[in-house]
């Protein structure tokens, strides 16, 4: 059976941790410490195979070291799961086709994912895909505030939170008939947001997030209405704002002196999947829309499903080095303890990297 020797190696990090714990309990910390070497290769990262939570006590003269061997990057812990990409196909649905961005028609692919994946991070042959947003780079800006909308702050504004309705035409928000703020955009989007908002379940969950009243206050609002002309697009929010959308976006005008100059992004748009590597997920129909990263015939669509590799708790003089961690929810964490080191590791396509909490000289 596997003993942990070079000729009879253990199969997982969990096995290695168990062997170290047993040896320390039986014989104590040996002079010179303990070194666990991992042979080059890709190891599955699951709840049963990860190193898990451990608390080992090494010393400066006798440290406990977990390290990869071979060339840099040759020891990989992979917690990814894959979607079956064989079903990737051109978009033919008559309801969806008009929603595609003009720059993306004929290029976006669709994949029915069923219940295996529910959204979140996803990679195309190891390259992270990006949930679509507008604009692709940088930020959008407010051209003009057409209506500051209803204002409400918990604990400060009297009365109940206003239930905002959709304002039509030149109607403005009033105390009797509150509605969300209305702004026009400095740039003109190429996607048809108005059609997408009206497309039904799975579409139209547009959210604007950014700085609309002050540089220090980030806010998010669901968009209830999009009105578009040949030269202008305006958005009306579905809810109230805490401080009001600043009417004078110039930095030195009236009561808005020092305000944020209307910087934001808009997310939740199929019609803004317009460049390679972008995606949109229709959670109602469980359909994933992707603008392919490249023209690969063989596509690996993977998402993070594995746990963190290591969690060191109140350990001393433990080193973790020379590993690649992918598809992990947590990477490597250190809490408490002292003189613990993580080095030479790469964490990619994961929900967490390296975390430090408390302790000394970690």
């Amino acid at each position: 059976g596997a003993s942990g020797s070079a000729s009879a190696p253990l199969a997982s990090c969990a096995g290695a941790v168990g062997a170290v714990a047993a040896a320390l309990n039986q014989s104590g910390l040996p002079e010179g410490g303990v070194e666990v070497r991992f042979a080059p290769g890709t190891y599955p990262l699951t709840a049963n195979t990860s190193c898990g939570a451990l608390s080992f006590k090494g010393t400066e003269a006798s440290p406990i070291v977990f390290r990869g061997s071979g060339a840099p990057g040759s020891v990989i812990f992979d917690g990814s799961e894959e979607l079956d990409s064989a079903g990737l196909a051109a978009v033919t649905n008559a309801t969806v086709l008009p929603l595609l961005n003009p720059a993306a028609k004929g290029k976006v692919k669709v994949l029915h994912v069923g219940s295996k994946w529910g959204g979140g991070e996803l990679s195309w042959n190891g390259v992270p895909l990006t949930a679509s947003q507008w604009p692709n780079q940088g930020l959008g800006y407010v051209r003009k505030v057409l209506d500051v909308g209803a204002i409400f702050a918990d604990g400060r504004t009297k009365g109940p939170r206003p239930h905002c309705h959709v304002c039509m035409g030149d109607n403005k928000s009033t105390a009797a008939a509150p509605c969300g703020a209305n702004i026009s955009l400095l740039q003109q989007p190429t996607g048809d947001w108005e059609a997408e908002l009206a497309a039904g379940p799975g579409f139209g969950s547009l959210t604007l997030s950014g700085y609309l009243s002050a540089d220090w206050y980030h806010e998010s609002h669901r968009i209830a209405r999009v009105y578009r002309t040949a030269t202008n697009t305006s958005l009306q929010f579905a809810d109230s704002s805490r401080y009001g959308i600043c009417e004078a976006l110039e930095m030195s005008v009236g009561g808005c002196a020092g305000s944020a100059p209307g910087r934001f992004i808009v997310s939740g748009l199929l019609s803004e999947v317009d460049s390679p590597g972008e995606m949109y997920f229709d959670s109602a129909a469980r359909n994933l829309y992707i603008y392919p990263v490249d023209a690969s015939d063989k596509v690996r669509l993977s998402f993070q499903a594995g746990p963190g590799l290591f969690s060191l708790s109140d350990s001393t003089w433990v080193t973790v080095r020379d590993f690649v961690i992918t598809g992990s929810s947590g990477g490597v964490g250190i809490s408490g303890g002292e003189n613990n080191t993580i080095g030479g590791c790469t964490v990619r396509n994961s929900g967490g990297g390296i975390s430090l909490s408390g302790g000394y000289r970690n």
Side-chain angles (χ1 to χ4, degrees):
S3 63
S5 65
S7 60
L10 296 161
S12 70
C13 192
V17 168
V20 172
L24 293 177
N25 288 335
Q26 183 176 9
S27 307
L29 183 66
E31 184 177 350
V34 177
E35 182 174 84
V36 181
R37 291 196 177 192
F38 291 77
T42 299
Y43 298 84
L45 182 55
T46 68
N48 294 325
T49 63
S50 77
C51 305
L54 53 94
S55 180
F56 286 153
K57 307 293 185 183
T59 67
E60 183 173 10
S62 299
I64 298 173
V65 180
F66 295 85
R67 65 178 302 178
S69 56
S74 61
V75 177
I76 302 169
F77 291 92
D78 190 350
S80 304
E81 289 192 21
E82 293 186 34
L83 298 176
D84 184 2
S85 62
L88 271 171
V91 178
T92 58
N93 186 293
T95 301
V96 176
L97 276 172
L99 305 182
L100 296 180
N101 193 288
K105 289 186 177 178
K107 300 175 182 177
V108 172
K109 305 291 185 182
V110 61
L111 175 68
H112 183 68
V113 300
S115 59
K116 186 174 183 179
W117 179 77
E121 295 190 10
L122 193 65
S123 297
W124 173 288
N125 291 340
V127 178
L129 296 172
T130 303
S132 63
Q133 67 176 44
W134 181 89
N136 285 343
Q137 296 181 336
L139 298 166
Y141 288 85
V142 174
R143 178 192 299 272
K144 185 175 182 179
V145 175
L146 305 174
D147 184 3
V148 297
I151 298 173
F152 182 87
D154 286 312
R156 188 183 70 188
T157 307
K158 294 182 179 179
R161 182 181 296 275
H163 178 72
C164 297
H165 65 283
V166 176
C167 294
M168 304 299 290
D170 294 327
N171 294 337
K172 300 289 186 181
S173 179
T174 64
C179 59
N182 196 330
I183 62 171
S184 62
L185 308 182
L186 184 62
Q187 308 101 312
Q188 182 78 327
T190 55
D192 192 343
W193 299 5
E194 194 171 12
E196 189 161 354
L197 194 63
F203 303 98
S205 296
L206 284 63
T207 300
L208 181 145
S209 302
Y211 299 86
L212 302 173
S213 60
D215 270 337
W216 50 264
Y217 185 66
H218 183 273
E219 53 192 303
S220 295
H221 298 279
R222 188 172 65 82
I223 297 171
R225 178 175 178 260
V226 177
Y227 179 72
R228 182 181 177 115
T229 67
T231 58
N232 187 61
T233 297
S234 63
L235 312 175
Q236 193 231 309
F237 302 162
D239 57 353
S240 58
S241 59
R242 182 177 179 86
Y243 296 105
I245 309 304
C246 199
E247 287 190 285
L249 293 162
E250 298 80 7
M251 295 294 285
S252 60
V253 177
C256 287
S259 68
R263 302 187 293 259
F264 58 85
I265 62 169
V266 180
S267 57
L269 290 156
L270 171 62
S271 57
E272 292 302 331
V273 176
D274 60 356
S275 60
E278 288 191 316
M279 67 176 186
Y280 177 85
F281 181 50
D282 170 3
S283 59
R286 314 294 297 174
N287 287 330
L288 173 66
Y289 296 88
I290 302 176
Y291 195 126
V293 172
D294 51 43
S296 300
D297 292 328
K298 188 174 182 180
V299 178
R300 181 176 187 255
L301 286 174
S302 58
F303 60 95
Q304 61 193 44
L309 178 60
F310 277 93
S311 177
L312 308 180
S313 177
D314 295 321
S315 295
T316 58
W317 293 101
V318 176
T319 293
V320 177
R321 57 175 293 183
D322 305 328
F323 296 132
V324 174
I325 305 166
T326 186
S328 163
S329 61
V332 181
I334 296 177
S335 60
E338 56 187 67
N339 294 302
N340 300 294
T341 301
I342 301 168
C345 293
T346 298
V347 184
R348 65 187 182 214
N349 297 343
S350 296
I354 308 299
S355 64
L356 298 174
S357 175
Y360 300 90
R361 296 179 296 277
N362 292 321

